Amino acid sequence: MSFPATAPTAVVDPYREITDAAPWRFLYRLNPLAKVAAVLPPIVLLVFVRDLRTPLVFLALGYLVLLVGVRMSVRLALILGLAVPAVALAIGLGLSLWTDAALVDDTAPVLQIGAWTLYAGALEIGFATGLRLAAILALSLIPGLSTTGPDLVRASIQQLRVPYRIGYTALAAFRFVPRFGHELEVIRQAHRVRGANRGRGPIAAVRRWTSYVVPLLAGAIRHAERVALAMDARAFGAYAGRTERHLVPFRARDVVFAILFWAASAAVFTTTFPWASA
């Protein structure tokens, strides 16, 4: 029995070092804590915003920073150009339909089907929520797309004085995710080589995925044992401090970026002032 040749699927490690970014992609050279500190205040304030202009401006600001500071790929372009607007549109329409008409019946009617009426106020409430979530997502992607797990852990240990036992233990746990992806691909290829064809359809898919569970758990247990033995062999946690080969300093450019982002956020909130109606 012959099987068609398939190209191996590349497993991307989200915690790998980013070394091939262009020099002008400035976000990769900033301290992770500076990027988190820059976007955290506007994200928190956007939760309490109810207008349309403020999240729309922050959405444009987040897109501008991402387009300039992050390496753009086809997948990221599709997410920013199609997925995020589609999700915001779906949320806006859904919440518009769920809004109580009695709260917005003093606004202009937009659509009427029988006894049901869609008011402009309902659309404003729905799309304000959709834009707010999209703006929060865009701002969250600024540190998320330009920061690796090891750098975030190192910065937290060096600047925030987080105990390294907590930081690197959490990092080792998170690194299990790409490891599981690699193990799953190996198991799928092994089943394909052995001719384990379980047919087509939803029931066959459930059986196929169920057959992956036991070897995946066995591989996870073996990997956890190896990680525990390796950490124990290196005397992890034996001392209060730990030396670092790679330092993540907090430079002047980090302070400048955070201050400029705070200033831009303050200018947006001052100009739109979304709490004026309240």
Side-chain angles (χ1 to χ4, degrees):
M1 182 180 296
S2 61
F3 296 93
T6 57
T9 304
V11 179
V12 179
D13 186 358
Y15 305 100
R16 72 191 189 282
E17 298 293 338
I18 301 175
T19 58
D20 55 346
W24 48 279
R25 302 293 188 183
F26 66 94
L27 285 178
Y28 296 109
R29 281 171 290 279
L30 295 177
N31 189 288
L33 298 180
K35 292 177 282 189
V36 173
V39 302
L40 188 58
I43 287 177
V44 174
L45 291 177
L46 279 172
V47 176
F48 306 99
V49 168
R50 294 296 180 267
D51 68 329
L52 290 170
R53 293 184 301 169
T54 304
L56 189 60
V57 174
F58 273 105
L59 181 62
L61 178 62
Y63 271 41
L64 178 62
V65 175
L66 289 173
L67 290 175
V68 175
V70 176
R71 184 181 58 230
M72 191 60 57
S73 62
V74 177
R75 182 179 180 182
L76 180 58
L78 291 176
I79 292 175
L80 296 179
L82 296 178
V84 174
V87 171
L89 180 62
I91 293 175
L93 289 176
L95 293 180
S96 299
L97 299 177
W98 279 96
T99 302
D100 188 3
L103 301 175
V104 293
D105 56 358
D106 56 340
T107 60
V110 177
L111 179 64
Q112 187 171 2
I113 302 177
W116 177 79
T117 304
L118 179 63
Y119 293 95
L123 288 175
E124 183 178 356
I125 293 175
F127 281 99
T129 305
L131 286 175
R132 186 165 67 251
L133 294 177
I136 292 175
L137 176 60
L139 294 178
S140 302
L141 289 177
I142 293 176
L145 293 176
S146 60
T147 304
T148 61
D151 283 343
L152 181 60
V153 171
R154 293 173 187 136
S156 301
I157 294 173
Q158 295 169 22
Q159 276 87 46
L160 298 182
R161 298 296 185 266
V162 174
Y164 76 92
R165 298 180 183 89
I166 298 177
Y168 281 95
T169 302
L171 180 63
F174 279 117
R175 285 188 67 90
F176 273 50
V177 177
R179 179 69 183 184
F180 283 165
H182 174 72
E183 291 283 347
L184 179 60
E185 184 61 27
V186 171
I187 293 171
R188 294 178 63 182
Q189 291 178 0
H191 283 208
R192 193 179 300 117
V193 168
R194 289 175 174 84
N197 186 10
R198 298 181 181 271
R200 298 180 180 180
I203 298 178
V206 172
R207 292 177 178 174
R208 186 164 54 251
W209 281 99
T210 304
S211 64
Y212 299 156
V213 173
V214 175
L216 188 61
L217 289 177
I221 294 173
R222 287 195 299 267
H223 181 64
E225 290 178 349
R226 288 194 294 265
V227 171
L229 289 175
M231 296 173 71
D232 188 44
R234 290 165 174 81
F236 182 82
Y239 301 96
R242 182 180 186 275
T243 57
E244 282 287 349
R245 181 182 179 184
H246 301 284
L247 299 179
V248 185
F250 203 91
R251 303 182 180 91
R253 60 191 180 191
D254 303 311
V255 179
V256 171
F257 172 76
I259 292 177
L260 288 178
F261 205 91
W262 290 340
S265 302
V268 173
F269 283 116
T270 303
T271 303
T272 60
F273 203 73
W275 305 281
S277 58

